[in-house]
Amino acid sequence: MKAVVWQGTNRIGVETVPDPSILLPTDAIVRVTSTAICGSDLHLLDGYIPSMEKGDILGHEFMGEVVEVGRAVKKLKAGDRVVVPFNLACGVCDPCRRGLFSACDNSNPNHRMAEAMYGGVSGGGLFGYSHIYGGYAGGQAQYVRVPFADVGPFKIESDLRDEQVLFLTDIFPTGYQAAENCGIVPGRDVVAVFGAGPVGQFAARSAQMLGAAHVIVIDRVPERLKMAAASGAQTINYEQEDVLVALREATGGRGPDHVIDAVGLEAHGHGPGALLDTAQQKLRLTFDRITALRWAIMSCAKGGTVSMPGVYGGLVNELPLGAAFAKGLTFRMGQTHTHRYLPDLLGRIEGGEIDPSFVITHRAGLSEAPDLYKTFRDKKHGCIKVVLNPWA
């Protein structure tokens, strides 16, 4: 089969690789009909996520048709159309029983690697996202093996197009959880979203669905800001305005009630702080560039929430923890518990409340993936979200 593979830092290729097969009785094989490039995939391209190996199949946003199931699989059969959460969950461990699916105790066979790297305990496994997270082959391919097939894959039994439901695999639930984590008081609270990439777009629209009185989106890319404004959000271009001043002015001086950092470890920025972050990261004195997180903390209102769906990978410097402490901020963060949100969010799509395909700007076959990774990373040609057809 054809698959998108990691060939080294800044090198992505399309190769012919062996078809996947059933390895455990709880597995299924899915013929992928649609897949996408995620913003967090760019951290793999840029070499910021360790333990990648040459030939690893990328991709964690995918859906398709079940073509084979293991003998222990009871809930799926060949021919079922499914979306597959980006994170793997066993469904029976304590975190899974509590709905904390991304913290699964049993889905990361390389948990000791993660524990040694980050300290503490490991979260669950992820498709196509390094050996720290299990070394699972990803879904930017024509076929994929899906472990825990009675737990993860979610059947789509309506005639909704792939593009309307594909993002249930990651970025729609991720944006929604980020907004839900804010504890928005409907009709009262102001929510600011740093980053107008795909997750930021869904975070902004989710905040609106949850009743935010006003949503403000901060970015520097005109196409992204235009897309956010189309939903009714106020926008701020941080290269043209002082972000902290603009947010105070927009909120009567108090700052947003809740702030969502939808950027993560490769934040661009403006000013001396951003230059320092970049220099320290290149020298490996810090792992992450935290411009967006720094602005989030500094801008958030007293007693507010900083919600962090953006991916972070290690130790950081210049974190204004004193400001967070002084204002009594609450931090909510972590991988998305995707499985938890699928029924509700599918219902919102079916009810016409949102059509997630609004975020797509580029469509292509797998052969174009290497170029589109870099187009997406470099924010060229108005690229906000790429969807790939493995059979085109």
Side-chain angles (χ1 to χ4, degrees):
M1 69 173 184
K2 299 291 186 182
V4 179
V5 302
W6 191 84
Q7 297 176 333
T9 300
N10 290 317
R11 290 191 292 121
I12 302 295
V14 177
E15 298 179 3
T16 299
V17 300
D19 289 358
S21 59
I22 298 289
L23 299 181
L24 296 171
T26 50
D27 290 347
I29 304 298
V30 171
R31 179 184 184 274
V32 179
T33 55
S34 294
T35 184
I37 302 174
C38 181
S40 56
D41 288 330
L42 302 181
H43 306 320
L44 303 176
L45 172 66
D46 292 340
Y48 288 116
I49 303 299
S51 78
M52 291 296 295
E53 297 180 6
K54 187 176 181 180
D56 284 348
I57 300 174
L58 301 176
H60 56 266
E61 296 180 333
F62 62 92
M63 65 175 294
E65 179 183 329
V66 176
V67 295
E68 185 181 359
V69 298
R71 64 179 184 277
V73 176
K74 305 300 182 186
K75 297 180 180 179
L76 294 178
K77 64 181 184 304
D80 284 342
R81 184 181 181 221
V82 295
V83 295
V84 182
F86 75 97
N87 37 13
L88 292 101
C90 73
V92 297
C93 67
D94 181 65
C96 284
R97 289 198 302 270
R98 295 162 55 203
L100 306 176
F101 295 101
S102 71
C104 177
D105 282 337
N106 295 323
S107 61
N108 184 0
N110 298 333
H111 61 92
R112 288 185 176 84
M113 185 186 299
E115 291 159 4
M117 181 73 64
Y118 298 127
V121 297
S122 169
L126 305 176
F127 284 102
Y129 213 76
S130 83
H131 292 265
I132 285 180
Y133 294 108
Y136 292 98
Q140 289 172 8
Q142 293 177 316
Y143 295 93
V144 62
R145 180 179 76 95
V146 178
F148 307 107
D150 273 341
V151 181
F154 185 76
K155 286 193 281 188
I156 304 297
E157 299 177 299
S158 65
D159 59 358
L160 292 168
R161 295 175 289 108
D162 275 18
E163 292 184 352
Q164 292 176 281
V165 294
L166 173 61
F167 304 134
L168 289 171
T169 61
D170 179 0
I171 56 173
F172 187 10
T174 295
Y176 190 88
Q177 178 176 286
E180 183 185 74
N181 280 345
C182 293
I184 296 166
V185 177
R188 189 197 76 180
D189 286 354
V190 177
V191 178
V193 180
F194 281 90
V199 169
Q201 299 289 343
F202 281 109
R205 297 193 186 217
S206 296
Q208 292 168 331
M209 287 191 290
L210 291 171
H214 188 50
V215 174
I216 307 168
V217 177
I218 301 97
D219 205 291
R220 68 188 179 97
V221 180
E223 295 85 359
R224 292 181 170 193
L225 293 170
K226 183 178 179 181
M227 181 178 284
S231 73
Q234 178 184 345
T235 60
I236 295 173
N237 185 325
Y238 67 77
E239 291 187 333
Q240 298 176 3
E241 300 182 69
D242 184 308
V243 172
L244 300 183
V245 171
L247 286 172
R248 284 196 296 270
E249 291 178 347
T251 57
R254 76 176 190 277
D257 300 287
H258 313 286
V259 181
I260 296 172
D261 170 8
V263 180
L265 66 87
E266 288 190 79
H268 293 279
H270 196 64
L275 294 174
L276 181 61
D277 282 346
T278 301
Q280 291 188 125
Q281 188 184 48
K282 287 181 177 178
L283 293 170
R284 299 303 184 191
L285 298 176
T286 188
F287 199 84
D288 303 327
R289 300 196 297 261
I290 63 164
T291 298
L293 179 57
R294 190 181 295 117
W295 281 341
I297 293 170
M298 298 302 293
S299 66
C300 193
K302 295 177 181 179
T305 304
V306 176
S307 176
M308 298 164 57
V311 173
Y312 285 93
L315 302 174
V316 299
N317 296 334
E318 313 300 329
L319 180 71
L321 194 58
F325 178 83
K327 291 193 284 187
L329 302 184
T330 296
F331 286 76
R332 299 289 301 276
M333 66 191 81
Q335 296 283 6
T336 307
H337 307 304
T338 314
H339 308 57
R340 180 196 298 176
Y341 297 104
L342 295 183
D344 176 49
L345 297 185
L346 177 61
R348 290 178 184 269
I349 297 169
E350 291 177 333
E353 193 171 351
I354 185 171
D355 180 351
S357 65
F358 77 89
V359 79
I360 303 170
T361 55
H362 288 64
R363 298 167 175 86
L366 286 186
S367 63
E368 298 178 64
D371 288 337
L372 285 169
Y373 260 83
K374 294 180 180 179
T375 298
F376 183 24
R377 180 194 60 189
D378 299 337
K379 302 174 180 64
K380 293 181 178 178
H381 310 304
C383 186
I384 297 175
K385 189 64 179 179
V386 178
V387 171
L388 303 171
N389 178 350
W391 302 93

